[in-house]
Amino acid sequence: IIREAIRYFGAHYDDKALLRNFCEKFHYDSAYISRRFKQETGLTASEYIKKIRIEKACNLLAGSKHTVREISQLVGYDDLAYFNQLFHKTLGMTPSEYRKQSKM
C-alpha cells in the first residue's frame, strides 16, 4: 500500500488534496494510510508530500525560468507566503536564494 502511495504522490504532487484524493481513489481511510506511512517510512504522509514538493520546486528553481509564484503553484501550493515559509524552514534559505545559489 505504501509503495503504491509513494508512486501516486510522486506522480500527482501538484494535486492540492493529494492524500485525500489518493484515499478516495483507492478506497483507503486516511488515518489508516497516515499511520501505516509513518510506520513504514518514518515520515507522516504529509511530511513526505511536503518533501516531494520541495524537491520538485528545487528542480524547477534550478532549471526553469518560472517565477517563484508559478513554481509554488506548480508543486501544489496556492499560498505563496506559506510556500516561502515552508521552503525556508526546510532548506534554510528562500526560494530566490536557492535559485541564485544553484546558478553558481
Side-chain angles (χ1 to χ4, degrees):
I1 295 170
I2 300 310
R3 277 187 232 146
E4 188 177 353
I6 288 170
R7 277 192 301 276
Y8 185 88
F9 295 164
H12 300 91
Y13 62 89
D14 59 335
D15 184 347
K16 312 287 185 272
L18 187 54
L19 180 59
R20 184 185 63 195
N21 290 341
F22 169 79
C23 291
E24 287 176 3
K25 180 175 182 166
F26 295 103
H27 309 290
Y28 293 123
D29 177 68
S30 63
Y32 171 74
I33 292 298
S34 294
R35 187 171 50 256
R36 286 285 308 273
F37 207 94
K38 178 75 172 179
Q39 289 170 345
E40 293 188 30
T41 68
L43 297 171
T44 66
S46 295
E47 289 169 338
Y48 185 79
I49 291 166
K50 287 177 189 175
K51 179 179 174 272
I52 288 175
R53 288 176 172 170
I54 293 298
E55 288 172 1
K56 299 292 185 178
C58 287
N59 291 338
L60 289 167
L61 286 163
S64 78
K65 296 194 186 286
H66 291 292
T67 66
V68 173
R69 177 177 299 282
E70 289 169 337
I71 290 171
S72 72
Q73 292 171 341
L74 287 169
V75 299
Y77 296 109
D78 286 332
D79 185 339
L80 179 60
Y82 177 73
F83 171 73
N84 284 327
Q85 178 185 4
L86 178 64
F87 194 97
H88 189 273
K89 182 180 176 184
T90 304
L91 296 178
M93 64 182 82
T94 67
S96 296
E97 291 168 340
Y98 181 88
R99 175 173 267 164
K100 285 178 192 170
Q101 186 180 55
S102 70
K103 295 194 189 249
M104 292 182 177

